[in-house]
């Protein structure tokens, strides 16, 4: 174990334990009391055996002395057990309480902190949802376990062992010495055990993750597996993952049992040595050594070795914490990923964007925009057109401050967006994306996400504007139905209702009708026409019907603006836009449709 790391870990943990310092102090005092109580049995037995011996040596058995001895033994032992039960209850409860509270604080703090991180953090590889979650989880669990080890486990282990050793030394120096010599051997074996088993433990953790990931994959892709009849293959794959985990588990267990046996054997050797030595001392009439002292030392030695038996568990916990807490504290203390914000937050927002010579590269190195310039005016519809991957969504990401340009400037209402308060800017930008995130919750809760202060009536109105109301009312639970059960198109309308309730100055629609049928598209178009009055609308769409309505058009190709202007003018220029437009019309079979309509 790395001592520097341990010291650093203790320091970091201390900050989270400080709020519960009284809990720590109380637990430690109880621990001390428990350790003292643990020695009572040995003391009682020592006295009892000697007292019984004295009674025994008299020619006539004195019932009075005998019953007095038995009464005192029972009273002391029972009283001690009762007290120990109460002390242990509170010691365990307070210790556990502290672990749970610290664990909660760590989880809350890490969630609070990563919520402030910029988008780039979440799209960096290694930070995908599942992986990030399991790293946080492992970090929190292992760190709070370390809290327990530091403050609850290590101390009783040492106090009890040290107290027992002191009593042994006080009774007889040589017996104390023998017990003391066993301790370092024990520590050494524990150390070897932990080191030998470390790789196995890490492997088992990874293996368990692989198994659950693979089960998750199967459940998620059930329709594909079934339609291609790939059950057998999936089963084989699962068997492979399970088998390698099983082998590792078995070999690790084997090692662990070997060490448990070795330590048990060492402990017995210690006990035998103590018995031989004390018996010898009694036989040679060594001053202070009586038959009672044999029992006394044997019991005390058990108090020395028993806590040390748990040493390897604590060692493992601390090792885990050293490995996994690094990551957790990286997240907790990291500032480089925190989103930047300015302080400009005017009362009135018009919704005018000006993008000037912007270059942009994603964190993974993909250069998505080259020298892009555009003006997006309030009260007008601006459409971004281009093939898939041209950079349209990237422009939107930059306007909403999800990412920052490499070079160039973006101004909102004439002020560079870096200077804007990020939350205030987003308060005035409404985003409807291709895949709108629906949360686990009711339809009403999902719509309210657009404005938590809105009333139930506002929700109903927004649902009507988004042509969602009638469909929701047909569901048995109406607006209390789970939003996750809605169809793709209905979920899209929840997102649009959210926009109505948010009522922002700027509306950005990134293929809002991509997953809707024709009737729904027309209805949505009508409601969007209503909402866009007096606002800035930016629309990305493959639907030429929506593009021709735009006041201004920017055609993107491989991250560059290649054409711009009014739709009609741009079409007449020819070029990329005409190609896309004509291909769209052909794919819709526009000639035939016109024929049908004419007839
Ligand atoms: P469009 O919206 O026009 O289909 P995008 O703006 O989504 O195109 O993508 C532009 C380019 O940026 C593509 O090459 C795409 O692969 C890349 N890209 C998009 N999002 C990310 C991301 N989060 N990380 C890295 N590259 C990305």
């Amino acid at each position: 174990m790395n001592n520097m790391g341990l010291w650093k870990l203790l320091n970091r943990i201390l900050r989270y334990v400080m709020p519960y310092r009284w809990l720590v102090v109380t637990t430690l005092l109880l621990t001390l009391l428990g350790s003292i109580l643990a020695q009572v049995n040995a003391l009682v037995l020592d006295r009892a055996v000697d007292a019984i011996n004295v009674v025994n040596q008299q020619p006539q058995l004195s019932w009075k002395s005998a019953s007095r001895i038995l009464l005192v033994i029972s009273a002391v032992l029972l009283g001690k057990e009762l007290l120990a039960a109460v002390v242990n209850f509170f010691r365990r409860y307070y210790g556990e309480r502290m672990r749970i509270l610290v664990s909660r604080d760590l989880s809350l703090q890490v969630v609070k902190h990563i919520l402030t991180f910029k988008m780039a953090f979440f799209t960096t590889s290694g930070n995908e949802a599942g992986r990030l979650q399991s790293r946080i989880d492992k970090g929190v669990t292992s760190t709070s376990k370390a809290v327990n080890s530091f403050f609850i486990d290590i101390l009783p282990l040492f106090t009890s062992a040290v107290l027992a050793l002191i009593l042994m030394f006080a009774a007889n120096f040589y017996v104390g010495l023998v017990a003391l010599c066993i301790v370092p051997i024990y520590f050494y074996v524990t150390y070897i055990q932990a080191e030998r088993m470390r790789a196995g433990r890490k492997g088992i953790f990874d293996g368990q993750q692989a198994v659950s990931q693979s089960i998750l994959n199967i459940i998620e892709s059930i329709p594909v597996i079934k339609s291609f009849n790939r059950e057998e293959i999936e089963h084989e794959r699962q068997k492979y993952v399970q088998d390698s985990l099983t082998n590792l588990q078995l070999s690790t267990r084997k090692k662990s049992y070997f060490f448990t046996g070795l330590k048990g054997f060492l402990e017995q050797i210690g006990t035998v040595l103590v018995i031989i030595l004390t018996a010898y001392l009694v036989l040679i009439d060594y001053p202070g050594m009586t038959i009672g002292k044999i029992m006394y030392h044997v019991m005390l030695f058990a108090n020395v070795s028993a806590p040390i038996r748990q040493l390897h568990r604590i060692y493992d916990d601390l090792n885990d914490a050293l490995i996994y807490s690094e990551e957790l504290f990286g997240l907790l203390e990291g500032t480089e990923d925190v989103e930047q914000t300015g302080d400009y937050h005017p009362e009135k927002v018009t919704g005018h964007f000006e993008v000037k010579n912007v270059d942009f590269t994603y964190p993974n190195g993909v250069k998505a925009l080259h020298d892009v310039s555009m003006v997006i005016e309030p009260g007008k519809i601006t459409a971004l057109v281009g093939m898939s991957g041209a950079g349209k969504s990237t422009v939107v990401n930059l306007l909403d401050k999800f990412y920052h340009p490499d070079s160039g400037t973006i101004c909102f209402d004439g002020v560079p967006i870096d200077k804007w308060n990020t939350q205030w800017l987003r308060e005035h930008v409404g985003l409807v994306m291709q895949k709108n995130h629906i949360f686990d919750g009711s339809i009403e809760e999902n719509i309210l996400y657009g404005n938590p202060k809105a009333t139930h009536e506002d929700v109903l109105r927004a649902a009507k504007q988004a042509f969602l109301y009638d469909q929701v009312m047909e569901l048995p639970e109406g607006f209390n139905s789970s939003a996750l059960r809605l169809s793709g198109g209905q979920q899209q309308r929840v997102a649009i209702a959210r926009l109505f309730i948010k009522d922002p100055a700027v509306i950005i629609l990134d293929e809002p009708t991509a997953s809707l049928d024709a009737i729904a598209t027309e209805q949505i178009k009508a409601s969007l026409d209503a909402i866009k009055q007096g606002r800035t609308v930016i629309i990305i769409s493959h639907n030429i019907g929506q593009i021709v309505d735009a006041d201004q058009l920017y055609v993107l190709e491989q991250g560059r603006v290649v054409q711009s202007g009014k739709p009609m003018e741009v079409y007449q220029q020819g070029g990329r836009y005409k190609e896309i437009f004509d291909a769209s019309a052909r794919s819709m079979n526009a000639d035939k449709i016109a024929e049908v309509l004419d007839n």
Side-chain angles (χ1 to χ4, degrees), residues 12-291:
R12 285 168 146 177
I13 286 181
L14 218 52
R15 207 172 326 139
Y16 290 88
V17 172
M18 269 325 255
Y20 309 113
R21 52 188 171 278
W22 289 114
L23 214 53
V24 178
V25 172
T26 315
T27 316
L28 290 185
L29 286 178
L30 288 172
T31 301
L32 197 64
L33 193 57
S35 306
I36 293 172
L37 286 176
Q39 321 301 328
V40 167
N41 278 7
L43 286 165
V44 169
L45 229 82
D46 172 35
R47 295 290 162 84
V49 171
D50 291 345
I52 290 170
N53 248 345
V54 171
V55 175
N56 244 357
Q57 272 157 13
Q58 267 137 35
Q60 189 92 53
L61 176 67
S62 148
W63 281 108
K64 204 171 143 235
S65 321
S67 50
R68 207 176 63 93
I69 294 175
L70 292 179
L71 206 73
V72 171
I73 294 178
S74 330
V76 172
L77 289 188
L78 285 180
K80 171 240 151 185
E81 281 308 324
L82 202 66
L83 192 59
V86 174
V87 166
N88 278 330
F89 171 82
F90 283 105
R91 181 180 67 84
R92 291 209 184 97
Y93 176 67
Y94 287 149
E96 191 59 6
R97 193 183 156 90
M98 180 168 75
R99 189 189 62 77
I100 291 172
L101 292 176
V102 169
S103 159
R104 175 200 62 185
D105 293 355
L106 283 168
S107 304
L108 275 179
Q109 194 59 37
V110 77
V111 170
K112 185 174 170 196
H113 198 52
I114 62 175
L115 277 172
T116 66
F117 284 3
K118 46 190 176 202
M119 206 63 143
F121 171 81
F122 297 96
T123 53
T124 305
S125 93
N127 290 341
E128 297 84 359
R131 291 207 200 168
L132 189 60
Q133 182 270 340
S134 87
R135 264 158 39 214
I136 292 177
D137 201 40
K138 188 77 185 162
V140 170
T141 319
S142 64
T143 309
S144 51
K145 259 195 183 164
V147 168
N148 237 28
S149 295
F150 269 129
F151 296 98
I152 312 296
D153 287 343
I154 293 184
L155 215 86
L157 193 147
F158 281 105
T159 36
S160 188
V162 167
L163 222 65
L165 268 177
I166 290 176
L167 287 177
M168 286 179 92
F169 267 106
N172 186 287
F173 178 77
Y174 298 106
V175 188
L177 206 59
V178 168
L180 187 62
C181 289
I182 301 285
V183 175
I185 301 180
Y186 226 89
F187 268 90
Y188 181 69
V189 174
T190 304
Y191 168 75
I192 299 286
Q193 174 181 16
E195 288 300 313
R196 289 276 160 83
M197 294 185 44
R198 191 196 296 190
R201 283 161 35 73
K202 176 88 174 67
I204 289 179
F205 172 67
D206 293 343
Q208 283 165 340
Q209 282 212 314
V211 167
S212 35
Q213 191 61 47
S214 119
I215 295 178
L216 215 70
N217 281 345
I218 290 182
I219 298 175
E220 274 177 358
S221 23
I222 266 297
V224 185
I225 297 173
K226 285 201 173 293
S227 69
F228 283 94
N229 289 326
R230 292 294 176 262
E231 288 92 341
E232 210 41 57
I233 290 187
E234 286 304 325
H235 178 238
E236 279 302 313
R237 211 181 279 175
Q238 177 71 11
K239 187 166 176 308
Y240 175 77
V241 188
Q242 291 272 10
D243 280 349
S244 40
L245 175 63
T246 308
N247 292 337
L248 196 60
Q249 276 173 321
L250 286 177
S251 69
T252 310
R253 268 277 157 266
K254 204 156 94 189
K255 255 186 227 162
S256 146
Y257 286 145
F258 168 76
F259 279 104
T260 311
L262 182 63
K263 286 194 294 187
F265 182 65
L266 281 176
E267 201 180 329
Q268 285 314 310
I269 289 188
T271 312
V272 170
L273 284 180
V274 169
I275 292 176
I276 293 176
L277 185 60
T278 44
Y280 170 74
L281 291 173
V282 172
L283 285 176
I284 63 164
D285 274 335
Y286 193 86
M289 287 305 278
T290 56
I291 301 264

Side-chain angles (χ1 to χ4, degrees), residues 123 362-364 366 368 387-395 403 434 510:
T123 53
Y362 276 107
N364 69 350
V366 172
M387 310 235 291
S388 208
K392 306 179 296 290
S393 302
T394 304
V395 171
Y403 296 93
Q434 302 171 21
D510 192 343

Side-chain angles (χ1 to χ4, degrees), residues 427 444-463 465 497-503:
E427 199 59 49
E444 172 143 5
E445 282 165 350
N446 267 278
I447 296 178
L448 274 177
Y449 209 78
N451 176 8
K453 290 196 202 102
T455 62
H456 179 65
E457 280 62 41
D458 295 334
V459 171
L460 298 187
R461 191 170 337 111
Q465 288 169 310
R498 213 184 258 163
L499 193 70
F500 276 108
I501 219 168
K502 180 174 177 177
D503 193 25

Side-chain angles (χ1 to χ4, degrees), residues 54 73 249 292 326 433 480 529 536 568:
V54 171
I73 294 178
Q249 276 173 321
E326 197 55 42
M433 289 167 288
N480 289 324
D529 284 344
T536 309
M568 199 50 118

